[in-house]
Amino acid sequence: MLGQLSDMDLRLLQVFKSVAECGGMSAAELELNIGTSTVSRHMKDLETRLGLTLCRRGRAGFALTAEGQRVYDETLRLLSAVDAFRSSIDDIHRRMGGRLDVAVFDKTASNPAAHIGDAIALFAEQAPDVSLQMHVAAIPAIERGLIDGSFHVGIIPAHRASQSLVYANLFTETMLLYCGARHPLYGTDHATLTWESLRAYQLAGLGYHSPNMELSHSARLPRKATGFDQESIATLILSGRYLGFLPDHYAEAFERQGQMQAVLPAQFFYRCQFVSVLRKSPQPPRAAQAFAQCLLAAHG
């Protein structure tokens, strides 16, 4: 059984994490930059060290065992704690190093009002020793990750505020209502449409609390199909079966190709305020605070 935790144990756990996330040893080979035979040997060494079978490999493919899934979950917690320790030591030395995990709500890169890239460039100049990890996730996942320490900085549309988080305004986004080329409203006169008449059509909306959900509730538009990111909403709209709200900058390419159309954009729209988010306690590492300041500077 595992006794004292050594540097080699941490290395083996990092290999296991990559294998689990890549879905197999061959796939992890590129991620880890070591040969498959070495990956396999490390996995066997870890299983021997723990006295557990972590994964099954065969014709059915790669899969974690029940014990392997629990070890994976504990590995994430352990490695996160190690990163937090390193960041704390860097803070003691008044330098910024280690890893910074930034999570962004999807489809922000094409928004001309979003200067996240400028903030990253500014931060990279200030903290060249920090390893930046960028994630794209849904609003609830970003908020949970900030609270549990998986993420250090979040960039999300503002909705209901949490007492555990600190927010700062960054940029706005315009959301328009769209129909696909095969939808009955495509290419027709929309002048007589009202919020009430929209209820006759099926709506695709986000399946968690967000400005999108708030609007559909306030306008009493029943959600008939559910997505969990902008890509899934766009796919549902393109089916021709549903109306849905999308960022105007993201939908622009679909419009140019004649695949979808904004429905009475002067009336059926709403605006999202995007915010940067940090946790209140424990205090975020200096790198997270510095990145948040770079976001404010880039959007000032």
Side-chain angles (χ1 to χ4, degrees), residues 220-269:
R220 295 170 58 199
L221 301 176
R223 189 174 75 246
K224 298 296 185 181
T226 300
F228 293 90
D229 51 36
Q230 306 288 28
E231 187 82 9
S232 59
I233 298 299
T235 302
L236 290 165
I237 293 170
L238 290 171
S239 74
R241 301 286 297 179
Y242 307 97
L243 301 175
F245 286 92
L246 289 174
D248 58 353
H249 56 86
Y250 171 52
E252 183 181 359
F254 295 113
E255 286 193 282
R256 285 199 308 266
Q257 297 168 13
Q259 294 180 287
M260 64 174 66
Q261 174 187 23
V263 179
L264 202 59
Q267 180 170 331
F268 302 126
F269 74 94

Short mmCIF file of all heavy atoms in Angstrom, two decimals, residues 220-269:
data_model
loop_
_atom_site.label_atom_id
_atom_site.label_comp_id
_atom_site.label_asym_id
_atom_site.label_seq_id
_atom_site.Cartn_x
_atom_site.Cartn_y
_atom_site.Cartn_z
N ARG A 220 -41.77 34.42 -21.43
CA ARG A 220 -42.65 33.25 -21.43
C ARG A 220 -42.54 32.48 -22.75
O ARG A 220 -43.52 32.11 -23.37
CB ARG A 220 -44.10 33.66 -21.16
CG ARG A 220 -44.30 34.24 -19.75
CD ARG A 220 -45.66 34.87 -19.60
NE ARG A 220 -46.71 33.90 -19.88
CZ ARG A 220 -47.97 34.24 -20.17
NH1 ARG A 220 -48.30 35.51 -20.24
NH2 ARG A 220 -48.87 33.30 -20.40
N LEU A 221 -41.29 32.25 -23.15
CA LEU A 221 -41.01 31.45 -24.34
C LEU A 221 -40.63 30.05 -23.89
O LEU A 221 -39.55 29.86 -23.33
CB LEU A 221 -39.87 32.07 -25.16
CG LEU A 221 -40.08 33.50 -25.66
CD1 LEU A 221 -38.82 34.00 -26.36
CD2 LEU A 221 -41.28 33.58 -26.59
N PRO A 222 -41.49 29.06 -24.09
CA PRO A 222 -41.18 27.71 -23.60
C PRO A 222 -40.01 27.09 -24.37
O PRO A 222 -39.97 27.13 -25.60
CB PRO A 222 -42.48 26.93 -23.84
CG PRO A 222 -43.19 27.69 -24.92
CD PRO A 222 -42.80 29.13 -24.75
N ARG A 223 -39.05 26.54 -23.63
CA ARG A 223 -37.89 25.89 -24.25
C ARG A 223 -38.25 24.48 -24.67
O ARG A 223 -38.60 23.65 -23.85
CB ARG A 223 -36.72 25.88 -23.27
CG ARG A 223 -35.42 25.43 -23.89
CD ARG A 223 -34.25 25.57 -22.91
NE ARG A 223 -34.26 24.54 -21.89
CZ ARG A 223 -34.45 24.77 -20.60
NH1 ARG A 223 -34.69 25.99 -20.17
NH2 ARG A 223 -34.43 23.79 -19.72
N LYS A 224 -38.14 24.20 -25.98
CA LYS A 224 -38.48 22.89 -26.51
C LYS A 224 -37.26 22.04 -26.80
O LYS A 224 -37.37 20.83 -27.01
CB LYS A 224 -39.31 23.04 -27.80
CG LYS A 224 -40.65 23.74 -27.59
CD LYS A 224 -41.57 22.94 -26.67
CE LYS A 224 -42.94 23.59 -26.56
NZ LYS A 224 -43.83 22.83 -25.65
N ALA A 225 -36.11 22.67 -26.87
CA ALA A 225 -34.85 21.95 -27.07
C ALA A 225 -33.80 22.64 -26.21
O ALA A 225 -33.85 23.86 -26.02
CB ALA A 225 -34.42 21.94 -28.53
N THR A 226 -32.87 21.88 -25.70
CA THR A 226 -31.90 22.40 -24.74
C THR A 226 -30.47 22.19 -25.22
O THR A 226 -30.13 21.10 -25.70
CB THR A 226 -32.08 21.72 -23.37
OG1 THR A 226 -33.40 21.98 -22.89
CG2 THR A 226 -31.08 22.24 -22.35
N GLY A 227 -29.66 23.23 -25.10
CA GLY A 227 -28.24 23.13 -25.38
C GLY A 227 -27.47 23.61 -24.16
O GLY A 227 -28.03 24.24 -23.27
N PHE A 228 -26.18 23.31 -24.13
CA PHE A 228 -25.36 23.71 -22.99
C PHE A 228 -24.16 24.55 -23.39
O PHE A 228 -23.28 24.81 -22.59
CB PHE A 228 -24.94 22.46 -22.20
CG PHE A 228 -26.13 21.79 -21.54
CD1 PHE A 228 -26.85 20.81 -22.20
CD2 PHE A 228 -26.54 22.20 -20.28
CE1 PHE A 228 -27.95 20.23 -21.62
CE2 PHE A 228 -27.65 21.61 -19.68
CZ PHE A 228 -28.36 20.62 -20.35
N ASP A 229 -24.15 25.00 -24.65
CA ASP A 229 -23.17 25.98 -25.11
C ASP A 229 -23.72 26.59 -26.40
O ASP A 229 -24.73 26.15 -26.93
CB ASP A 229 -21.78 25.36 -25.33
CG ASP A 229 -21.82 24.12 -26.21
OD1 ASP A 229 -22.64 24.08 -27.15
OD2 ASP A 229 -21.05 23.19 -25.96
N GLN A 230 -23.04 27.64 -26.89
CA GLN A 230 -23.53 28.34 -28.08
C GLN A 230 -23.48 27.45 -29.32
O GLN A 230 -24.32 27.56 -30.21
CB GLN A 230 -22.70 29.61 -28.31
CG GLN A 230 -22.62 30.56 -27.12
CD GLN A 230 -23.92 31.29 -26.82
OE1 GLN A 230 -25.02 30.80 -27.12
NE2 GLN A 230 -23.82 32.44 -26.21
N GLU A 231 -22.49 26.58 -29.37
CA GLU A 231 -22.36 25.67 -30.52
C GLU A 231 -23.59 24.77 -30.65
O GLU A 231 -24.12 24.56 -31.74
CB GLU A 231 -21.10 24.82 -30.38
CG GLU A 231 -20.77 23.97 -31.59
CD GLU A 231 -20.04 24.74 -32.67
OE1 GLU A 231 -19.63 25.88 -32.42
OE2 GLU A 231 -19.90 24.19 -33.77
N SER A 232 -24.07 24.25 -29.52
CA SER A 232 -25.24 23.37 -29.57
C SER A 232 -26.50 24.15 -29.94
O SER A 232 -27.36 23.64 -30.67
CB SER A 232 -25.42 22.64 -28.23
OG SER A 232 -25.58 23.57 -27.17
N ILE A 233 -26.62 25.39 -29.46
CA ILE A 233 -27.78 26.21 -29.84
C ILE A 233 -27.75 26.49 -31.34
O ILE A 233 -28.78 26.39 -32.02
CB ILE A 233 -27.79 27.53 -29.05
CG1 ILE A 233 -27.92 27.27 -27.54
CG2 ILE A 233 -28.93 28.43 -29.52
CD1 ILE A 233 -29.19 26.56 -27.13
N ALA A 234 -26.57 26.82 -31.88
CA ALA A 234 -26.46 27.06 -33.32
C ALA A 234 -26.85 25.83 -34.12
O ALA A 234 -27.54 25.93 -35.15
CB ALA A 234 -25.03 27.48 -33.66
N THR A 235 -26.44 24.66 -33.67
CA THR A 235 -26.77 23.41 -34.37
C THR A 235 -28.28 23.19 -34.37
O THR A 235 -28.86 22.77 -35.39
CB THR A 235 -26.05 22.23 -33.72
OG1 THR A 235 -24.64 22.46 -33.73
CG2 THR A 235 -26.35 20.93 -34.45
N LEU A 236 -28.92 23.45 -33.25
CA LEU A 236 -30.38 23.30 -33.17
C LEU A 236 -31.08 24.29 -34.10
O LEU A 236 -32.07 23.95 -34.76
CB LEU A 236 -30.84 23.49 -31.72
CG LEU A 236 -30.46 22.36 -30.76
CD1 LEU A 236 -30.62 22.80 -29.31
CD2 LEU A 236 -31.31 21.12 -31.03
N ILE A 237 -30.58 25.52 -34.16
CA ILE A 237 -31.17 26.51 -35.07
C ILE A 237 -31.01 26.07 -36.52
O ILE A 237 -31.94 26.17 -37.33
CB ILE A 237 -30.52 27.89 -34.85
CG1 ILE A 237 -30.87 28.44 -33.46
CG2 ILE A 237 -30.95 28.88 -35.93
CD1 ILE A 237 -30.07 29.66 -33.07
N LEU A 238 -29.83 25.56 -36.86
CA LEU A 238 -29.57 25.13 -38.24
C LEU A 238 -30.46 23.97 -38.67
O LEU A 238 -30.64 23.74 -39.87
CB LEU A 238 -28.10 24.74 -38.39
CG LEU A 238 -27.09 25.90 -38.31
CD1 LEU A 238 -25.66 25.37 -38.24
CD2 LEU A 238 -27.25 26.83 -39.50
N SER A 239 -31.03 23.25 -37.72
CA SER A 239 -31.94 22.15 -38.07
C SER A 239 -33.22 22.67 -38.72
O SER A 239 -33.93 21.91 -39.40
CB SER A 239 -32.32 21.35 -36.82
OG SER A 239 -33.24 22.08 -36.00
N GLY A 240 -33.52 23.94 -38.53
CA GLY A 240 -34.76 24.50 -39.07
C GLY A 240 -35.97 24.28 -38.20
O GLY A 240 -37.07 24.73 -38.53
N ARG A 241 -35.79 23.63 -37.08
CA ARG A 241 -36.91 23.31 -36.19
C ARG A 241 -37.09 24.32 -35.07
O ARG A 241 -38.17 24.40 -34.48
CB ARG A 241 -36.71 21.92 -35.58
CG ARG A 241 -36.59 20.79 -36.59
CD ARG A 241 -37.90 20.43 -37.21
NE ARG A 241 -38.87 19.94 -36.23
CZ ARG A 241 -40.11 19.56 -36.52
NH1 ARG A 241 -40.54 19.65 -37.76
NH2 ARG A 241 -40.91 19.12 -35.58
N TYR A 242 -36.04 25.08 -34.77
CA TYR A 242 -36.08 25.91 -33.57
C TYR A 242 -35.59 27.33 -33.84
O TYR A 242 -34.72 27.55 -34.70
CB TYR A 242 -35.20 25.31 -32.46
CG TYR A 242 -35.51 23.87 -32.16
CD1 TYR A 242 -34.76 22.84 -32.74
CD2 TYR A 242 -36.57 23.53 -31.32
CE1 TYR A 242 -35.06 21.51 -32.47
CE2 TYR A 242 -36.86 22.20 -31.05
CZ TYR A 242 -36.11 21.20 -31.63
OH TYR A 242 -36.39 19.89 -31.37
N LEU A 243 -36.13 28.26 -33.08
CA LEU A 243 -35.56 29.59 -32.95
C LEU A 243 -34.57 29.56 -31.78
O LEU A 243 -34.71 28.72 -30.88
CB LEU A 243 -36.65 30.63 -32.66
CG LEU A 243 -37.78 30.78 -33.68
CD1 LEU A 243 -38.82 31.77 -33.16
CD2 LEU A 243 -37.23 31.23 -35.02
N GLY A 244 -33.64 30.48 -31.78
CA GLY A 244 -32.70 30.54 -30.66
C GLY A 244 -31.89 31.82 -30.69
O GLY A 244 -31.73 32.44 -31.75
N PHE A 245 -31.40 32.21 -29.54
CA PHE A 245 -30.57 33.41 -29.43
C PHE A 245 -29.10 33.03 -29.52
O PHE A 245 -28.65 32.06 -28.90
CB PHE A 245 -30.83 34.12 -28.09
CG PHE A 245 -32.14 34.86 -28.04
CD1 PHE A 245 -33.28 34.24 -27.55
CD2 PHE A 245 -32.23 36.17 -28.51
CE1 PHE A 245 -34.50 34.91 -27.51
CE2 PHE A 245 -33.44 36.85 -28.47
CZ PHE A 245 -34.58 36.24 -27.98
N LEU A 246 -28.36 33.83 -30.31
CA LEU A 246 -26.92 33.64 -30.46
C LEU A 246 -26.23 35.00 -30.44
O LEU A 246 -26.84 36.03 -30.78
CB LEU A 246 -26.60 32.96 -31.80
CG LEU A 246 -26.95 31.48 -31.96
CD1 LEU A 246 -26.68 31.05 -33.40
CD2 LEU A 246 -26.15 30.61 -30.99
N PRO A 247 -24.94 35.04 -30.09
CA PRO A 247 -24.19 36.30 -30.21
C PRO A 247 -24.16 36.72 -31.68
O PRO A 247 -23.90 35.90 -32.57
CB PRO A 247 -22.79 35.93 -29.72
CG PRO A 247 -22.96 34.67 -28.92
CD PRO A 247 -24.10 33.94 -29.53
N ASP A 248 -24.41 38.01 -31.94
CA ASP A 248 -24.46 38.46 -33.34
C ASP A 248 -23.14 38.25 -34.06
O ASP A 248 -23.11 37.90 -35.24
CB ASP A 248 -24.90 39.93 -33.42
CG ASP A 248 -24.00 40.88 -32.63
OD1 ASP A 248 -23.11 40.41 -31.91
OD2 ASP A 248 -24.23 42.10 -32.73
N HIS A 249 -22.01 38.42 -33.35
CA HIS A 249 -20.70 38.25 -33.99
C HIS A 249 -20.45 36.80 -34.37
O HIS A 249 -19.78 36.51 -35.37
CB HIS A 249 -19.58 38.76 -33.08
CG HIS A 249 -19.56 38.11 -31.73
ND1 HIS A 249 -18.90 36.92 -31.47
CD2 HIS A 249 -20.13 38.47 -30.55
CE1 HIS A 249 -19.06 36.59 -30.21
NE2 HIS A 249 -19.79 37.52 -29.61
N TYR A 250 -20.98 35.86 -33.59
CA TYR A 250 -20.80 34.43 -33.87
C TYR A 250 -21.71 33.99 -35.02
O TYR A 250 -21.29 33.22 -35.89
CB TYR A 250 -21.09 33.63 -32.60
CG TYR A 250 -21.16 32.13 -32.79
CD1 TYR A 250 -20.14 31.43 -33.41
CD2 TYR A 250 -22.27 31.41 -32.33
CE1 TYR A 250 -20.21 30.05 -33.57
CE2 TYR A 250 -22.35 30.04 -32.48
CZ TYR A 250 -21.31 29.37 -33.10
OH TYR A 250 -21.39 28.01 -33.26
N ALA A 251 -22.95 34.50 -35.05
CA ALA A 251 -23.91 34.09 -36.07
C ALA A 251 -23.64 34.73 -37.43
O ALA A 251 -24.19 34.28 -38.44
CB ALA A 251 -25.33 34.44 -35.61
N GLU A 252 -22.80 35.75 -37.45
CA GLU A 252 -22.56 36.49 -38.69
C GLU A 252 -22.11 35.59 -39.83
O GLU A 252 -22.57 35.72 -40.97
CB GLU A 252 -21.52 37.59 -38.44
CG GLU A 252 -21.26 38.47 -39.65
CD GLU A 252 -20.20 39.52 -39.36
OE1 GLU A 252 -19.68 39.56 -38.22
OE2 GLU A 252 -19.88 40.30 -40.29
N ALA A 253 -21.23 34.65 -39.57
CA ALA A 253 -20.73 33.75 -40.62
C ALA A 253 -21.85 32.88 -41.17
O ALA A 253 -21.93 32.65 -42.39
CB ALA A 253 -19.60 32.88 -40.07
N PHE A 254 -22.73 32.40 -40.29
CA PHE A 254 -23.87 31.60 -40.75
C PHE A 254 -24.80 32.44 -41.63
O PHE A 254 -25.36 31.95 -42.62
CB PHE A 254 -24.65 31.03 -39.56
CG PHE A 254 -23.88 30.06 -38.72
CD1 PHE A 254 -23.53 30.38 -37.41
CD2 PHE A 254 -23.51 28.82 -39.21
CE1 PHE A 254 -22.82 29.49 -36.62
CE2 PHE A 254 -22.81 27.91 -38.44
CZ PHE A 254 -22.45 28.26 -37.14
N GLU A 255 -24.98 33.70 -41.25
CA GLU A 255 -25.84 34.58 -42.05
C GLU A 255 -25.26 34.82 -43.44
O GLU A 255 -25.99 34.79 -44.44
CB GLU A 255 -26.03 35.92 -41.34
CG GLU A 255 -26.97 35.87 -40.14
CD GLU A 255 -27.36 37.26 -39.68
OE1 GLU A 255 -26.53 37.90 -39.01
OE2 GLU A 255 -28.48 37.71 -40.00
N ARG A 256 -23.96 35.07 -43.50
CA ARG A 256 -23.32 35.31 -44.80
C ARG A 256 -23.48 34.12 -45.74
O ARG A 256 -23.59 34.28 -46.95
CB ARG A 256 -21.82 35.61 -44.61
CG ARG A 256 -21.52 36.99 -44.08
CD ARG A 256 -20.07 37.38 -44.36
NE ARG A 256 -19.14 36.35 -43.90
CZ ARG A 256 -18.54 36.35 -42.73
NH1 ARG A 256 -18.80 37.30 -41.86
NH2 ARG A 256 -17.69 35.39 -42.40
N GLN A 257 -23.49 32.91 -45.16
CA GLN A 257 -23.63 31.70 -45.97
C GLN A 257 -25.08 31.34 -46.25
O GLN A 257 -25.36 30.31 -46.86
CB GLN A 257 -22.94 30.54 -45.26
CG GLN A 257 -21.43 30.75 -45.10
CD GLN A 257 -20.79 29.75 -44.13
OE1 GLN A 257 -21.41 28.76 -43.76
NE2 GLN A 257 -19.57 30.03 -43.71
N GLY A 258 -26.02 32.18 -45.78
CA GLY A 258 -27.44 31.91 -46.01
C GLY A 258 -27.99 30.76 -45.20
O GLY A 258 -29.02 30.19 -45.55
N GLN A 259 -27.34 30.43 -44.07
CA GLN A 259 -27.77 29.29 -43.26
C GLN A 259 -28.74 29.68 -42.14
O GLN A 259 -29.45 28.84 -41.61
CB GLN A 259 -26.56 28.59 -42.66
CG GLN A 259 -25.65 27.93 -43.69
CD GLN A 259 -24.47 27.26 -43.03
OE1 GLN A 259 -23.53 27.91 -42.56
NE2 GLN A 259 -24.50 25.94 -42.99
N MET A 260 -28.72 30.95 -41.77
CA MET A 260 -29.66 31.43 -40.76
C MET A 260 -29.89 32.92 -40.95
O MET A 260 -29.17 33.59 -41.69
CB MET A 260 -29.21 31.10 -39.34
CG MET A 260 -27.96 31.73 -38.87
SD MET A 260 -27.59 31.39 -37.10
CE MET A 260 -27.31 29.61 -37.07
N GLN A 261 -30.91 33.42 -40.25
CA GLN A 261 -31.30 34.82 -40.40
C GLN A 261 -31.76 35.35 -39.06
O GLN A 261 -32.43 34.65 -38.28
CB GLN A 261 -32.46 34.91 -41.42
CG GLN A 261 -33.08 36.27 -41.59
CD GLN A 261 -34.31 36.23 -42.47
OE1 GLN A 261 -34.95 35.19 -42.62
NE2 GLN A 261 -34.65 37.36 -43.07
N ALA A 262 -31.39 36.62 -38.77
CA ALA A 262 -31.87 37.27 -37.56
C ALA A 262 -33.35 37.61 -37.73
O ALA A 262 -33.77 38.08 -38.80
CB ALA A 262 -31.07 38.52 -37.28
N VAL A 263 -34.13 37.36 -36.70
CA VAL A 263 -35.58 37.62 -36.74
C VAL A 263 -35.85 38.95 -36.06
O VAL A 263 -35.67 39.09 -34.85
CB VAL A 263 -36.35 36.48 -36.03
CG1 VAL A 263 -37.84 36.77 -36.05
CG2 VAL A 263 -36.05 35.13 -36.67
N LEU A 264 -36.24 39.96 -36.85
CA LEU A 264 -36.59 41.29 -36.35
C LEU A 264 -35.59 41.75 -35.28
O LEU A 264 -35.96 41.94 -34.10
CB LEU A 264 -38.02 41.28 -35.80
CG LEU A 264 -38.74 42.64 -35.71
CD1 LEU A 264 -38.85 43.28 -37.09
CD2 LEU A 264 -40.12 42.47 -35.10
N PRO A 265 -34.33 41.95 -35.66
CA PRO A 265 -33.29 42.23 -34.66
C PRO A 265 -33.51 43.50 -33.86
O PRO A 265 -32.97 43.61 -32.74
CB PRO A 265 -32.01 42.31 -35.51
CG PRO A 265 -32.48 42.56 -36.91
CD PRO A 265 -33.79 41.87 -37.03
N ALA A 266 -34.26 44.46 -34.40
CA ALA A 266 -34.52 45.69 -33.65
C ALA A 266 -35.40 45.44 -32.43
O ALA A 266 -35.44 46.24 -31.50
CB ALA A 266 -35.17 46.73 -34.55
N GLN A 267 -36.12 44.31 -32.44
CA GLN A 267 -37.05 44.01 -31.34
C GLN A 267 -36.63 42.81 -30.52
O GLN A 267 -36.69 42.84 -29.28
CB GLN A 267 -38.46 43.77 -31.90
CG GLN A 267 -39.49 43.46 -30.83
CD GLN A 267 -40.91 43.49 -31.39
OE1 GLN A 267 -41.19 44.20 -32.35
NE2 GLN A 267 -41.79 42.69 -30.81
N PHE A 268 -36.20 41.74 -31.19
CA PHE A 268 -35.89 40.49 -30.48
C PHE A 268 -34.39 40.40 -30.22
O PHE A 268 -33.63 39.81 -31.00
CB PHE A 268 -36.39 39.29 -31.27
CG PHE A 268 -37.87 39.33 -31.54
CD1 PHE A 268 -38.36 39.21 -32.84
CD2 PHE A 268 -38.78 39.51 -30.51
CE1 PHE A 268 -39.72 39.24 -33.09
CE2 PHE A 268 -40.15 39.55 -30.75
CZ PHE A 268 -40.62 39.43 -32.04
N PHE A 269 -33.95 41.01 -29.14
CA PHE A 269 -32.54 41.01 -28.78
C PHE A 269 -32.43 41.22 -27.27
O PHE A 269 -33.36 41.65 -26.60
CB PHE A 269 -31.78 42.11 -29.52
CG PHE A 269 -32.05 43.49 -28.99
CD1 PHE A 269 -31.22 44.07 -28.04
CD2 PHE A 269 -33.16 44.21 -29.43
CE1 PHE A 269 -31.48 45.34 -27.54
CE2 PHE A 269 -33.42 45.48 -28.94
CZ PHE A 269 -32.58 46.05 -27.98
#
